[in-house]
Amino acid sequence: MTLRWEAFLDHIKERGEYNSLQEAERAARVVLALLGAHLVGDVRAQLAARLPEDFALILLNPLRSTEPLPPERFVRATAAWIEGATEQTATWDVSAVLSTVADAAGDDLLGQILFQLPAGYDLLFGHPQPA
C-alpha cells in the first residue's frame, strides 16, 4: 500500500524531531536520491511503488554513484548535500527517512533492499539483522 505524501512526511518529521514538514521533506529528498543510486531493478521499482509519487520519482531518478557507499560514507554524502548538516545530524536524517522507508517497504522487500546494500545498512533502516 502506498503512503500518502503527508503521512510519509509526518512519520519522518516525528522520527527526526523536525520543526516543519519542509525540514522532513528536505531530508527525504536527499536520502531517497542517494538510496536510489544504490538500488537496481525490480527492488527499486517495488519500493518506488510504495512511496508517494514525488518521492518515488526521486528514487527512480537517483543521483549517480560509481560504487555502493558503505553506511558511513552514505551518511557523509547526506551531510554534504544538506546545507549546514554535520555527520551527526545527517545520521539522524538518514535514520528518520530510512526507518520510514522500511515501514513502507515491509519485511520481505526490506530484506531484498538490504541484500543489495553493503553490510551495516540494517542499522540505518532501524532493523538490525542477526550477525
Side-chain angles (χ1 to χ4, degrees):
M1 179 175 170
T2 303
L3 279 174
R4 288 186 7 256
W5 184 85
E6 290 169 9
F8 185 74
L9 284 182
D10 280 340
H11 287 294
I12 294 170
K13 181 180 178 227
E14 181 181 314
R15 290 175 182 180
E17 298 181 13
Y18 299 112
N19 293 319
S20 68
L21 285 179
Q22 290 76 20
E23 287 180 77
E25 183 177 2
R26 177 194 63 192
R29 288 181 177 281
V30 169
V31 172
L32 289 171
L34 287 167
L35 179 63
H38 289 72
L39 300 178
V40 296
D42 211 30
V43 170
R44 186 167 60 191
Q46 286 180 47
L47 179 57
R50 297 181 189 192
L51 299 177
E53 184 178 0
D54 289 355
F55 297 113
L57 292 173
I58 292 167
L59 186 78
L60 293 171
N61 296 296
L63 298 170
R64 298 290 170 226
S65 178
T66 56
E67 63 183 90
L69 299 175
E72 305 79 28
R73 288 191 49 214
F74 187 92
V75 168
R76 274 186 250 139
T78 301
W81 280 93
I82 297 177
E83 185 178 334
T86 64
E87 282 188 41
Q88 234 176 353
T89 62
T91 299
W92 194 265
D93 294 329
V94 169
S95 293
V97 174
L98 292 185
S99 65
T100 302
V101 166
D103 290 348
D107 291 340
D108 290 342
L109 182 54
L110 180 59
Q112 293 174 52
I113 291 167
L114 291 174
F115 185 74
Q116 287 192 7
L117 298 171
Y121 274 83
D122 56 332
L123 299 176
L124 295 178
F125 280 91
H127 287 264
Q129 303 295 302

